[in-house]
Amino acid sequence: MDKPVVILAIESSCDDTSAAVIRDGILLSNVTASQKVHEEFGGVVPELASRAHQLNILPVVDTALKRANVTKSDLSAVAFTRGPGLLGSLLVGTSFAKGLALSLNIPLIDVNHLQGHIMAHFVQTEGDQLPHPSFPFLCLLVSGGNSQIVKVEGYNRMTIIGQTIDDAAGEAFDKCAKVLGLPYPGGPWIDKLAKLGNPQTYHLAEPHIPGYDYSFSGLKTSFLYTIRDLMKAHGVDSVEALVEQVPNLKEDLCAALQTTIINTLMRKLRKAAKDLNINQVAVAGGVSANSGLREAFIDYGKRFKWSVFIPPFSFTTDNAAMICQAGYYKYLDNDFCSIDEVPFAKTQI
Ligand code: KG4
């Protein structure tokens, strides 16, 4: 009998230290340590993130191996996120993966974080019968750092057909949340408040960018100007004072922001699906946890006869399970990397 393919993956691109183990394509463990240290700063502080990764990585990897009931000697390869992400954070995972692979004399697999998010759709646990997209499909990849429409023609064949020319959708959620005094990351808070608001009360400018590209910086400005004008109209000089004066202000602004972001994302996705005649459509990345976006996917699926694929909540934000899945396909393709590879901060798929 052939030896099973057992892969350990490490994800450390931003502020989550995560390790996962897969055996013959079945996920055995996925362990993540999140970093609370950034909350008081209203965003991720790169230096603090890399220090926290250094503290977390050993216990996280150890727990992932134990939960999977495998030992280091069972491993066939070590996969790691090479980028894009914060360089200091990536360096911790990359160095750890290199050291481990070198000491065990097994191959090293570099994984693009964005491809990993898309591969979250293929993660399989024992006994799960979830449907997976078939090729070719379109994936709307929306996270804190990226907003892209990707055409996926194979596990290792992907092309970006549209992307943001400035801010990412998640960044727009987070920055507008900060203006309202909401904690970081703001996306989940906006999601919660939007459910209690009326999206028609305030009108925010929708970006008009040609082709399949996105832009969210103008929306952020429109959000700021709306608040500035309201403050002027009510004769107050702080957002807190405005919130006290205007009933349901936060809820209505969050509903308007969320609806505008979703409409912008979905319109371009619909255009791409129509132009390319593709009806398998998936969503991935942290923002895919948004309840409004999930509903919009189901709605568009019904209206335009798409088969839609929405990842389980546990695989929407950064996790090593998706890196393991991508690493597994690269292993099957004998696509390994050299020990000299270095992390990268920005890239395309
Ligand atoms: O993919 P991810 O975990 O990290 C990156 O690689 O960027 O995405 C994080 C982003 C943050 O901007 C966060 O606010 C957003 O995902 N997010 C949400 C929700 N949950 C997370 N945005 C809107 N609604 C949510 N429910």
Side-chain angles (χ1 to χ4, degrees):
M1 216 169 80
D2 284 344
K3 213 172 160 257
V5 176
V6 183
I7 294 174
L8 166 77
I10 293 165
E11 153 66 33
S12 71
S13 63
C14 190
D15 59 341
D16 290 306
T17 320
S18 187
V21 177
I22 211 173
R23 182 168 50 218
D24 288 336
I26 303 291
L27 181 71
L28 301 180
S29 66
N30 180 38
V31 177
T32 303
S34 302
Q35 304 176 359
K36 297 271 173 239
V37 64
H38 309 286
E39 274 171 16
E40 65 177 291
F41 300 100
V44 177
V45 183
E47 181 56 29
L48 295 180
S50 39
R51 282 167 198 252
H53 282 305
Q54 285 176 5
L55 289 176
N56 292 341
I57 195 150
L58 204 53
V60 164
V61 168
D62 193 47
T63 309
L65 290 172
K66 283 193 178 124
R67 284 199 193 153
N69 204 17
V70 304
T71 63
K72 284 179 292 181
S73 57
D74 296 322
L75 295 178
S76 318
V78 182
F80 68 99
T81 304
R82 193 173 149 212
L86 299 171
L87 269 187
S89 291
L90 289 164
L91 263 176
V92 179
T94 305
S95 312
F96 191 93
K98 283 181 181 178
L100 188 59
L102 204 58
S103 69
L104 297 171
N105 197 23
I106 54 176
L108 192 59
I109 305 170
D110 61 326
V111 173
N112 183 306
H113 180 77
L114 304 178
Q115 289 192 350
H117 270 303
I118 296 171
M119 286 303 118
H121 282 282
F122 297 93
V123 172
Q124 238 187 314
T125 48
E126 196 69 68
D128 104 43
Q129 298 294 325
L130 285 179
H132 305 294
S134 48
F135 305 116
F137 68 92
L138 288 180
C139 187
L140 175 70
L141 179 49
V142 269
S143 69
N146 297 277
S147 297
Q148 302 173 332
I149 300 176
V150 182
K151 184 177 173 198
V152 189
E153 291 172 282
Y155 297 118
N156 295 317
R157 278 179 58 210
M158 307 180 189
T159 322
I160 296 171
I161 59 165
Q163 62 187 320
T164 181
I165 57 165
D166 41 54
D167 290 353
E171 216 172 332
F173 272 113
D174 295 342
K175 286 182 176 163
C176 293
K178 198 172 173 181
V179 174
L180 290 179
L182 299 171
Y184 177 85
W189 291 91
I190 301 243
D191 192 354
K192 254 187 227 157
L193 288 167
K195 288 189 183 127
L196 309 170
N198 177 356
Q200 311 296 341
T201 308
Y202 302 106
H203 175 77
L204 301 172
E206 262 191 55
H208 293 284
I209 302 290
Y212 309 124
D213 284 340
Y214 291 118
S215 163
F216 290 104
S217 67
L219 174 61
K220 209 175 57 191
T221 312
S222 170
F223 189 82
L224 264 179
Y225 284 4
T226 303
I227 293 179
R228 184 198 61 184
D229 295 348
L230 282 166
M231 278 166 57
K232 211 167 161 193
H234 286 82
V236 294
D237 58 6
S238 73
V239 176
E240 293 75 35
L242 188 65
V243 170
E244 298 241 315
Q245 277 209 17
V246 184
N248 230 37
L249 176 87
K250 274 192 184 178
E251 291 80 354
D252 290 344
L253 277 174
C254 287
L257 177 73
Q258 181 164 302
T259 303
T260 311
I261 292 177
I262 293 171
N263 287 345
T264 308
L265 290 171
M266 295 308 289
R267 281 198 191 120
K268 290 289 171 92
L269 188 60
R270 153 86 177 127
K271 177 173 163 52
K274 194 168 170 234
D275 292 353
L276 300 175
N277 197 21
I278 294 178
N279 68 355
Q280 301 259 318
V281 188
V283 61
V287 180
S288 69
N290 184 270
S291 58
L293 184 58
R294 287 174 167 246
E295 280 164 20
F297 254 75
I298 294 166
D299 175 49
Y300 270 62
K302 282 189 194 137
R303 274 163 56 202
F304 303 116
K305 302 202 173 13
W306 292 352
S307 300
V308 295
F309 299 89
I310 303 170
F313 280 108
S314 49
F315 297 143
T316 54
T317 45
D318 292 347
N319 65 86
M322 64 189 198
I323 304 301
C324 224
Q325 192 69 36
Y328 174 66
Y329 295 127
K330 287 189 92 171
Y331 183 93
L332 297 182
D333 273 359
N334 283 322
D335 186 356
F336 305 125
C337 79
S338 106
I339 203 82
D340 301 324
E341 297 292 7
V342 290
F344 53 82
K346 282 183 191 285
T347 192
Q348 301 204 330
I349 285 177

